[in-house]
Amino acid sequence: MLQYVIAGLVLGGIYAISAASLTATHRSAGIFNFSFGAMAYFVARFYYYLHTQHGWNIAGAAAVSLLIVAPALGVVLYLTLFRFLRQASALIKVVATLGLSVCIPPIATVLFGNVAVLKAPGLAPEPVRVFHPFGVPVTMDQVIVYGCVVLLGAAGAVILRYSDIGLRVRAMVDSPAMTSLTGTSPNTVSLGVWALSSFLAGLAGVLSAPIIGLDPDSFTLLMAAAFAAVIAGRLSNLPVAVVVGLGMGVAGSLVQSYLPSDSSFTAAVLPSIPFAVTAVFLAYTTLRRGRLNESDGVGGALDRAITPQGGRVRVPPRASSTPTPRRAAALRTWAWEPSTLVLVAVAAVLPYVIDSFWTNYLAQGAAFAVIFLSYTLVTGEGGMIWLCQITFAGVGAVTTAQLATNHGWPVLVAVAAGGALAAPMGLLLGLLTIRLGPLYVALVTLTFGLLMDKLVFTREIFAQRGLGVSVDPPGFAVTDSTLTLLGLAVFLIVAYFIVNLRRSTTGLALNAVRWSEPGAKTIGVSVVRMKALVAALAAAIAGIGGGLLAVASAGAVPADYATLAGVVLLATLVTAGISSNAGALLAGITYTLFPAVLQVYLPDSYSPVPVILFGLGAVYIARNPTGWIPEIGEQLSGLSQRLLNLRRSAEPCTAPQSGGGPGPVDHPLSESSRA
C-alpha cells in the first residue's frame, strides 16, 4: 500500500504544480490558460533538444530551459496575446488560449526537429539511482518531484504573505482596477505572473516527461486532468487546488492497486479519475451554492463594472430606402456575412471543374461545414462555450456505421438516427451546465468529451483495432461529386434553419439570454428553456454532420472525432466568424483542402504548417473578435455606403415644379428624403 501512495505522489505533485500555476494566472490575470499543457511540452521538448540531441549536461540544459526559455516564453506570449485578453469576453479568452495549445506543439516540431523520442530524460542523472526507504523503491526522479513540490509550496507561501512582490500580486487578485489607482502597474505584475506561470509549466513538463513521454497529446491530457484540481479550488483557492492535485495522484495509484493491470477496463478507468473528481466537485458546489460562476469573488466592483458582457453585436445595415419589416429582418440576418447561397453555388460547381482527386476532400469539407454549424448555433447564437461538439459528431458517425453496416438500415436514415441520438445527450449536458459560468461550461464540456474518448470510443465494437467501421454511401450518391452535393444540400437546410431562428422571437430571446441572463429573466424569457433548446439542436446538427462525414470518408473511425481535434475545429471557425453561416462553409472546406494542398505540392517538412496557421488564426481574434469574414463584410459595407454618399452628393438638386414650391432637396445625410 505504501509503495502505491509514494508512487501516486509523483503524479499528484505534477498535478499540484500545474494547478497552482493555473490558479495563480486565473486569479491575477483573469485568464484560464488552456495552453498550459502545450507550453509544458514546448519547454520539455527544448530540454530534450539540448540534453539528448546536443549532449548538454543536465544542469546546463535545465538552467537554460527552465530559467531562461520558459519565463521568456511567458513574457513573449503576454506581450503578444495575454495582455489583450484581460477585458475580452470569455469566448475570446478560451478560444485564443486554445489556439495557442493547437499551434505551439507543431512550432516545437519545426524548431527542434521531428525526431522519434524513445525515452525522455528527467532531471536525475543516468542511470537513475533508486532508494529503498521503508522497503519501497523510490527513484531519484521521484525524489526531485517531491522536493520541487515542497520547495515551491514553502517559497510561494512566504513570498505571497511577507514580501512586497506578494503584496502587489495579492492586490492584483483583489482588484486590478483599484491596484492601478495606487500607482502599481497591473501590466508589470501580470508580466511577472505569466513569467512565473511559464516557468512552472516548463517544470511540470520536464518532470512529467519521463512518466508520459514526449507526446503533445499526452501533455494536454495530463494538464486537462490537472484542471480537476483547479475546479475543486473554484479557480481561486490555491491551497485547495494543490491538496486536491496531490490527492488525485494518490487516489489513482490506489485504485490501480485493486484493478488488474492487463485489463482494458483498467486502462479506461485510471485516466478518468480526474474527470470524475471534476464532476463530484461541480455537483457538490452547484447544489450547495445554487450557481457557479468563475467571476464570483474575483476583482472588485470597479473590475466587474468594466468587464464586457454578452456576445457579438448585430449592427443593422444602412439602406437607401426604408425597408419592409420582412426585408429589414433579412438584411439584419445577412448584414455581417457574404451571401451563403453564392458560396454554396460555387462549392456545388467545384466538383465538376477540379480534378477528381480533390473531390473527396471537398465532400468531407461539406460534412465538416455541417459540424461547424453546430458551433455556430450553440456558441454563436446560444453564447455557450462548448468544447465537445466533435464528440457529438463522433456519436453520429459511430451510430450511422452501426445501423447502416451492421443492422442494414438505409444510410441516410442512419445519419438522421445519429443526430436523434446525439440530441438528448446534448439536452442532458445543457441542463447540467445551466447554472455554470462560461468558463466552467467550457471545462465541463471538455471533460465530457475526454471521458467519451476514453470510455466509449475506445470500445472494440466502434474502434475495430483503429480501423473503424466502414460505411457505404446511398445508392444515388456513389461518387464524390454527388456526395459533395448531398453535404451541401444538408448544409443549406441547416443554414436556412439557423437564419430563420435568428429572425424569430426565439432568436431574440436567445440574444437577450446571451447578453444578460438576469435581464432576460426580468422580461419573462426562460433561460433554462432557451439553453436546453439550443443544446439539443446543436448536438443533433453535430450528430448529422458526423454521420455525413462518415459517409464521405467511407467509414467511422472514432479517432477522427477526438476531443482535442475538435479544439482545432473551434479555433478555425472562430477565426472565420463564429456567427457566420458562410464562415462555417468556408472553414469546413478550408479545413480539409488546405492541408491536402500543402501535402501534395510542398515537402513533408511543411506538414505542421496548417495546424500552426489554424492555431494562430484563433490568436488573431484577440484583436479582431468578430472574425475575418464579418470584418471584411463590415469593411465592404462601409465602402459601399461611402460610395453611395459620394454619388448622392454629386447629384444636382431637383428643380422646382411649376405651380408649387421648391422640390425636395436630396441631402446625403437624409434617408427620409428618398423614402
Side-chain angles (χ1 to χ4, degrees):
M1 182 68 69
L2 182 60
Q3 64 179 347
Y4 286 103
V5 173
I6 293 177
L9 285 174
V10 176
L11 194 58
I14 296 172
Y15 288 153
I17 294 173
S18 304
S21 176
L22 290 166
T23 303
T25 52
H26 181 263
R27 285 287 287 168
S28 60
I31 301 170
F32 191 88
N33 187 12
F34 283 90
S35 63
F36 186 87
M39 295 169 64
Y41 169 79
F42 184 91
V43 177
R45 182 65 184 85
F46 181 73
Y47 175 74
Y48 180 88
Y49 176 78
L50 294 180
H51 178 54
T52 302
Q53 294 180 232
H54 290 274
W56 285 38
N57 59 40
I58 291 178
V64 173
S65 300
L66 298 177
L67 301 180
I68 298 178
V69 172
L73 178 64
V75 170
V76 169
L77 292 179
Y78 174 78
L79 294 177
T80 58
L81 175 64
F82 293 137
R83 69 191 181 100
F84 301 112
L85 292 179
R86 182 168 190 95
Q87 297 302 327
S89 65
L91 174 63
I92 300 303
K93 290 179 181 179
V94 170
V95 175
T97 54
L98 285 174
L100 279 182
S101 72
V102 168
C103 66
I104 287 178
I107 289 176
T109 300
V110 172
L111 293 177
F112 311 132
N114 189 14
V115 299
V117 180
L118 302 178
K119 185 178 183 301
L123 295 176
E126 298 282 351
V128 179
R129 294 182 59 186
V130 180
F131 306 96
H132 294 83
F134 308 105
V136 177
V138 179
T139 67
M140 177 59 76
D141 279 324
Q142 293 175 321
V143 172
I144 292 174
V145 173
Y146 304 146
C148 288
V149 173
V150 173
L151 180 62
L152 290 174
V158 171
I159 291 174
L160 286 176
R161 186 169 184 83
Y162 298 106
S163 69
D164 182 64
I165 296 177
L167 178 62
R168 295 174 186 270
V169 172
R170 286 187 285 127
M172 272 283 294
V173 170
D174 291 336
S175 176
M178 294 300 296
T179 301
S180 64
L181 296 179
T182 65
T184 299
S185 171
N187 289 332
T188 302
V189 177
S190 296
L191 184 67
V193 170
W194 280 107
L196 176 61
S197 174
S198 187
F199 162 76
L200 293 178
L203 180 62
V206 172
L207 293 177
S208 58
I211 302 174
I212 63 174
L214 274 177
D215 178 67
D217 288 345
S218 298
F219 273 85
T220 303
L221 288 172
L222 180 67
M223 301 313 165
F227 293 169
V230 184
I231 291 174
R234 289 172 45 205
L235 305 179
S236 59
N237 195 320
L238 196 147
V240 171
V242 171
V243 171
V244 172
L246 292 170
M248 284 195 310
V250 174
S253 184
L254 291 176
V255 170
Q256 187 176 6
S257 67
Y258 291 103
L259 296 176
S261 58
D262 57 348
S263 170
S264 59
F265 178 75
T266 303
V269 167
L270 291 179
S272 304
I273 290 177
F275 307 126
V277 172
T278 299
V280 169
F281 273 95
L282 283 176
Y284 169 76
T285 308
T286 305
L287 291 174
R288 183 184 176 196
R289 298 173 57 88
R291 181 172 177 82
L292 192 59
N293 196 308
E294 62 271 11
S295 62
D296 293 343
V298 177
L302 179 58
D303 302 275
R304 289 190 289 272
I306 63 178
T307 300
Q309 303 292 329
R312 61 187 170 88
V313 180
R314 289 199 186 101
V315 177
R318 290 165 289 190
S320 61
S321 62
T322 304
T324 63
R326 176 172 296 184
R327 181 168 177 263
L331 288 172
R332 283 195 298 271
T333 299
W334 302 104
W336 287 88
E337 57 184 334
S339 174
T340 303
L341 291 175
V342 174
L343 293 176
V344 170
V346 172
V349 173
L350 280 179
Y352 302 99
V353 297
I354 62 176
D355 189 85
S356 59
F357 172 80
W358 304 104
T359 311
N360 181 254
Y361 292 105
L362 193 61
Q364 295 181 38
F368 269 113
V370 177
I371 298 174
F372 279 127
L373 284 179
S374 71
Y375 287 101
T376 299
L377 184 59
V378 74
T379 303
E381 299 300 321
M384 297 180 287
I385 308 174
W386 279 34
L387 304 181
C388 63
Q389 292 303 106
I390 192 66
T391 303
F392 295 126
V395 170
V398 298
T399 302
T400 299
Q402 292 297 315
L403 295 180
T405 302
N406 296 338
H407 297 279
W409 285 38
V411 65
L412 292 185
V413 177
V415 169
L421 179 61
M425 298 175 63
L427 175 62
L428 178 60
L429 189 61
L431 292 175
L432 292 176
T433 57
I434 287 293
R435 298 184 180 277
L436 301 180
L439 179 55
Y440 281 108
V441 171
L443 291 170
V444 169
T445 52
L446 178 66
T447 299
F448 170 76
L450 294 174
L451 278 175
M452 290 288 290
D453 291 347
K454 293 295 182 182
L455 300 180
V456 178
F457 291 158
T458 55
R459 295 179 62 85
E460 188 61 22
I461 188 175
F462 303 134
Q464 295 294 311
R465 300 182 180 179
L467 301 177
V469 179
S470 62
V471 180
D472 294 328
F476 64 89
V478 294
T479 65
D480 290 331
S481 299
T482 51
L483 283 176
T484 301
L485 295 179
L486 174 63
L488 291 174
V490 175
F491 172 85
L492 198 57
I493 293 171
V494 177
Y496 181 75
F497 168 78
I498 294 177
V499 166
N500 280 277
L501 179 66
R502 290 170 181 167
R503 296 164 56 181
S504 67
T505 305
T506 303
L508 295 176
L510 282 174
N511 197 27
V513 170
R514 183 175 62 251
W515 274 96
S516 174
E517 291 185 17
K521 292 178 181 178
T522 61
I523 61 175
V525 175
S526 173
V527 174
V528 174
R529 185 181 304 167
M530 290 297 102
K531 289 192 173 184
L533 174 65
V534 169
L537 290 175
I541 293 171
I544 292 173
L548 291 174
L549 183 58
V551 174
S553 306
V557 181
D560 294 340
Y561 303 91
T563 303
L564 298 181
V567 170
V568 184
L569 295 183
L570 181 60
T572 305
L573 180 60
V574 173
T575 303
I578 189 65
S579 300
S580 169
N581 292 336
L585 180 58
L586 288 178
I589 295 176
T590 304
Y591 184 76
T592 55
L593 282 181
F594 182 57
V597 170
L598 294 186
Q599 184 179 2
V600 171
Y601 294 107
L602 295 178
D604 293 340
S605 58
Y606 286 85
S607 58
V609 171
V611 178
I612 294 176
L613 293 180
F614 287 142
L616 291 178
V619 175
Y620 154 87
I621 67 166
R623 302 298 299 271
N624 301 275
T626 59
W628 63 271
I629 289 180
E631 183 181 3
I632 292 175
E634 184 180 5
Q635 291 174 353
L636 292 176
S637 177
L639 178 61
S640 64
Q641 184 64 34
R642 287 194 294 271
L643 293 176
L644 179 62
N645 289 339
L646 288 175
R647 182 180 66 82
R648 289 178 178 176
S649 61
E651 291 179 356
C653 297
T654 304
Q657 301 177 9
S658 59
V665 177
D666 192 8
H667 194 278
L669 298 181
S670 174
E671 298 290 342
S672 60
S673 64
R674 303 184 63 87

